[in-house]
Amino acid sequence: MPAVLFRSPNDSSEPWRQALSERISGLDFRAWPNVGDPADIGFALVWKVPPSFLKEFPNLQAICSLGQGVDHIFGDPELPRGPHILRLVDPWMGRAMAEWFLLQVLRFHRQGPDYEALQRRREWKQLPAPETSTRRVGFLGLGALGAEAAGKVAALGFDVAGWSRTRKSIPGITSYAGPDELDAFLARTDILCGLLPLTPETTDLMDARLFAKLPKGAFVVNAGRGAQLVETDLLAALDSGHLAGAALDVFRTEPLPADNPLWTHPKVQVWPHVSALTNADSGADQVAENIRRVFAGETPINSVDPERQY
Amino acid sequence: MGVILVHVANADPAPWIDELRRQAPDLDARGLDAIGDPATVEVAITWKLPHGLFRTYPNLALIQSMAAGVDHVLADPDRPARVPVARVVDPWMARSMVHQVALAVLRWHRRLEWVESMRADARWPTGVVFDADAVRVGVLGLGHLGQAVARAMQDLGFAAAGWARSPKVIDGLDCHHGPEGLRALAAWSSVLVCLLPLTPETEGILNAGLFERMAPGSLLVNVGRGGHLVEDDLIAALDGGRLAAAALDVFRTEPLPAGHRFWSDPRVYLTPHIASEINPVTATRVFVENIRRSRAGHAPIGLIDPAKGY
């Protein structure tokens, strides 16, 4: 059996070695930099490896991302053409992501930032509360993660819609599709929730023009990818009063540099990319199944179309 | 057909009177200063009517609380015992309560205060784990609101159980009762949510004896009444690390005095009694229905047992 290679700057290899060894007997698991003969490697389990790293393995059959996103793989200009590109669709990750969006939606809906400021001023004041069914939440992206989060937000009584490349049929969620319907989607969205894959089409999507199409007083929440949001445009829209607040978990540069103005802006909450963390225990079933399928010559699950890149 | 008295302590009753007239133009709704002959008062819809007034209305047929609790009515020593007392049972209030509790639980679970604290020195942590399986929500009080909250926590993927004074059987929910059950629930829970009615038995129920059974780092959510909480015991439990945080919406004195130590305690997430803000439109529907029932000789929706206090 070919060997499995592991490399990530964020995740330690031991939990994965253990979880996968329990599921595949005789697994030859090699954690970078102890790679051995590159020709032994048939399956790579990776997160943000340096460009040109993956082309060094001549017998690679599949490259599996340690997260939902695969943009870090497609960002390699010398990415080998042959191997399957796989993503991790982890049920635990969906629950964690839904939790994070629920927290942001509820905090903005229930005027959390205003009540936090009132507490600092020792002021007892009940603010008029908008009715839940009139608060319109919009998800940019209705993939597996977006659909789960949108469903849980809708279950709490909010008016929820989603925008995606192709039309989706999800009970309780109004579907907007394609570039032609983006403006209508934005015009009806009070709390915008970004959960798109990073592709050439979604890069810089959240810019001044997009923010201007949201109603005045809207909120922006993003857990997709940092490169989808133009940070200076967001700050300008917050400072002009057009947008009321933002909660961000992803940034163009991570860790967010200490001198980035997002850190200190009073209307922005900065999260250190923790909305949905990968977990070896819950992700290992799926990775083990794909290792088995790939080495048996079967079609793997959750593979990514290299043309669409998601 | 008598006068419908509408009284809201520290607030103008006019919007409520207008809504009553809009929904039921035949009703003679008036504020406290416009009732004329006290013998004409047939129904009192009130939040904190000054003590002693109920007994001056000889033909009073129904006391309708403008809240889910009736402690403010039962606290009047001169309340005529023959007059039925109803609390508000309104799905809109339940939704608002669910949102309040969900926000408090998610803030604590996803460590919002910790994320905020990192802004001061632009710190970007790694190796963070949020364990959703460790969120176990114990709900004290299994009435309309308590059941709605317990179900919502389960829908969010958290474990939930409940406690009531007397035995209850609720499908899919582990229900404890009695003093022994209270201790067992506290030992199981990492979050305690108080949704009890305030009665002589529940006064001061949130105390050191309860907190010391909880796991270190737990959360207290009090959305019942201020009288449920022993404030000194809460501070001691926070100082000792038994509790990591408390989300408090109700207080022994409201408005909370500006000099109170809770205002500036970073472990206390404080809101000014907004958890289940009453919705004038949906609550008035219930009021109109209860006036009709009273006139037809039927029991009102939300009729309480004064001996039990809820």
Side-chain angles (χ1 to χ4, degrees):
Chain A
M1 187 167 66
V4 172
L5 168 71
F6 181 96
R7 183 175 182 182
S8 163
N10 296 25
D11 309 86
S12 69
S13 59
E14 268 322 296
W16 283 98
R17 179 196 300 278
Q18 205 173 347
L20 291 174
S21 298
E22 284 166 8
R23 289 162 175 83
I24 304 169
S25 63
L27 177 74
D28 183 358
F29 183 96
R30 301 183 191 180
W32 186 86
N34 302 314
V35 177
D37 182 353
D40 295 345
I41 306 296
F43 191 105
L45 186 57
V46 295
W47 181 255
K48 290 190 177 170
V49 295
S52 313
F53 172 73
L54 291 165
K55 71 166 183 179
E56 302 301 324
F57 305 98
N59 298 316
L60 203 54
Q61 298 174 53
I63 301 165
C64 180
S65 170
L66 274 162
Q68 182 89 7
V70 288
D71 47 290
H72 61 100
I73 295 172
F74 286 111
D76 181 352
E78 296 189 78
L79 181 69
R81 286 290 155 199
H84 297 286
I85 307 296
L86 311 174
R87 71 169 79 219
L88 201 58
V89 180
D90 166 353
W92 187 93
M93 205 191 281
R95 175 167 76 159
M97 187 62 91
E99 273 176 10
W100 190 82
F101 274 101
L102 281 166
L103 170 55
Q104 310 314 328
V105 168
L106 286 171
R107 180 165 174 268
F108 286 138
H109 172 60
R110 291 190 72 79
Q111 298 143 305
D114 296 330
Y115 281 117
E116 289 156 24
L118 284 165
Q119 179 172 354
R120 287 192 290 273
R121 296 204 302 268
R122 297 173 170 261
E123 191 179 340
W124 181 279
K125 186 176 172 191
Q126 296 175 334
L127 306 170
E131 228 261 273
T132 306
S133 60
T134 65
R135 189 76 90 166
R136 300 163 299 176
V137 179
F139 276 82
L140 268 178
L142 281 177
L145 292 177
E148 180 171 349
K152 286 195 171 170
V153 171
L156 288 180
F158 292 93
D159 177 359
V160 181
W163 178 81
S164 45
R165 206 178 57 95
T166 55
R167 190 159 320 277
K168 306 278 180 172
S169 176
I170 305 170
I173 313 291
T174 311
S175 170
Y176 291 81
D180 293 347
E181 296 181 10
L182 181 58
D183 285 4
F185 165 79
L186 295 169
R188 56 71 64 202
T189 294
D190 301 311
I191 302 177
L192 181 71
C193 297
L195 199 43
L196 284 164
L198 184 64
T199 67
E201 286 77 37
T202 66
T203 301
D204 295 331
L205 179 68
M206 286 179 260
D207 62 359
R209 283 189 326 171
L210 179 141
F211 297 140
K213 288 168 184 160
L214 291 167
K216 185 174 162 55
F219 298 93
V220 171
V221 180
N222 192 27
R225 283 287 179 261
Q228 292 158 349
L229 188 143
V230 182
E231 293 173 359
T232 49
D233 287 2
L234 175 72
L235 290 168
L238 288 166
D239 289 338
S240 76
H242 182 68
L243 295 181
L248 307 175
D249 189 52
V250 289
F251 303 90
R252 297 191 97 88
T253 307
E254 294 179 13
L256 187 64
D259 60 353
N260 189 302
L262 291 170
W263 275 117
T264 49
H265 197 284
K267 290 182 179 172
V268 179
Q269 192 161 65
V270 170
W271 289 76
H273 205 146
V274 292
S275 55
L277 299 160
T278 309
N279 180 302
D281 279 339
S282 57
D285 277 343
Q286 189 188 120
V287 174
E289 174 65 13
N290 266 345
I291 292 171
R292 191 195 63 74
R293 287 186 184 215
V294 167
F295 291 170
E298 299 171 19
T299 307
I301 52 175
N302 297 318
S303 74
V304 178
D305 177 350
E307 290 305 310
R308 297 194 338 204
Q309 302 197 356
Y310 70 91
Chain B
M1 298 301 109
V3 166
I4 311 299
L5 164 65
V6 182
H7 167 266
V8 195
N10 306 317
D12 183 2
W16 291 93
I17 292 171
D18 291 346
E19 183 60 26
L20 262 175
R21 287 179 180 151
R22 193 184 68 77
Q23 291 191 22
D26 57 308
L27 294 180
D28 182 7
R30 305 186 195 188
L32 193 54
D33 51 2
I35 52 175
D37 179 2
T40 61
V41 176
E42 179 197 0
V43 174
I45 301 175
T46 176
W47 168 245
K48 293 187 177 172
L49 190 73
H51 289 181
L53 283 184
F54 288 127
R55 76 181 161 100
T56 66
Y57 311 134
N59 296 310
L60 191 62
L62 173 66
I63 297 172
Q64 170 70 60
S65 169
M66 297 178 85
V70 292
D71 45 302
H72 63 103
V73 173
L74 301 185
D76 182 348
D78 298 323
R79 175 186 58 87
R82 60 168 182 84
V83 182
V85 180
R87 62 198 177 85
V88 180
V89 178
D90 177 355
W92 194 89
M93 286 179 85
R95 176 185 277 173
S96 175
M97 179 62 79
V98 162
H99 289 184
Q100 176 88 5
V101 175
L103 176 56
V105 171
L106 288 167
R107 279 183 75 130
W108 163 82
H109 168 48
R110 303 306 293 258
R111 301 171 67 189
L112 187 138
E113 269 60 44
W114 167 77
V115 165
E116 277 287 292
S117 75
M118 290 181 309
R119 295 169 63 136
D121 51 356
R123 213 150 22 97
W124 185 276
T126 54
V128 188
V129 176
F130 300 103
D131 185 1
D133 293 332
V135 180
R136 297 178 302 273
V137 184
V139 179
L140 307 182
L142 290 172
H144 175 62
L145 294 178
Q147 289 191 38
V149 165
R151 290 255 183 269
M153 293 301 112
Q154 291 177 328
D155 290 346
L156 294 184
F158 300 134
W163 179 84
R165 208 177 59 131
S166 51
K168 289 223 176 195
V169 178
I170 299 167
D171 208 26
L173 190 72
D174 195 6
C175 299
H176 301 261
H177 70 275
E180 208 46 47
L182 182 60
R183 290 191 281 274
L185 183 69
W188 176 83
S189 302
S190 59
V191 178
L192 274 185
V193 180
C194 178
L195 270 161
L196 289 163
L198 184 63
T199 67
E201 289 83 31
T202 65
E203 205 280 337
I205 196 169
L206 305 175
N207 58 40
L210 198 63
F211 302 148
E212 73 190 11
R213 291 174 192 279
M214 301 184 73
S218 293
L219 170 72
L220 174 72
V221 181
N222 190 15
V223 281
R225 286 284 182 261
H228 286 128
L229 175 66
V230 180
E231 296 185 352
D232 285 343
D233 288 4
L234 171 64
I235 297 292
L238 289 166
D239 288 345
R242 189 58 66 176
L243 292 176
L248 307 178
D249 187 55
V250 289
F251 305 90
R252 287 189 178 256
T253 307
E254 293 180 10
L256 188 69
H260 199 287
R261 58 189 162 173
F262 284 164
W263 285 111
S264 55
D265 194 322
R267 303 162 301 185
V268 175
Y269 168 38
L270 188 157
T271 47
H273 205 147
I274 55 159
S276 80
E277 191 162 349
I278 193 162
N279 178 310
V281 176
T282 54
T284 298
R285 264 182 224 137
V286 180
F287 300 162
V288 171
E289 170 66 19
N290 276 351
I291 293 166
R292 305 263 182 257
R293 287 179 179 226
S294 173
R295 287 179 178 174
H298 300 312
I301 300 165
L303 177 69
I304 65 104
D305 176 353
K308 291 203 297 188
Y310 59 92

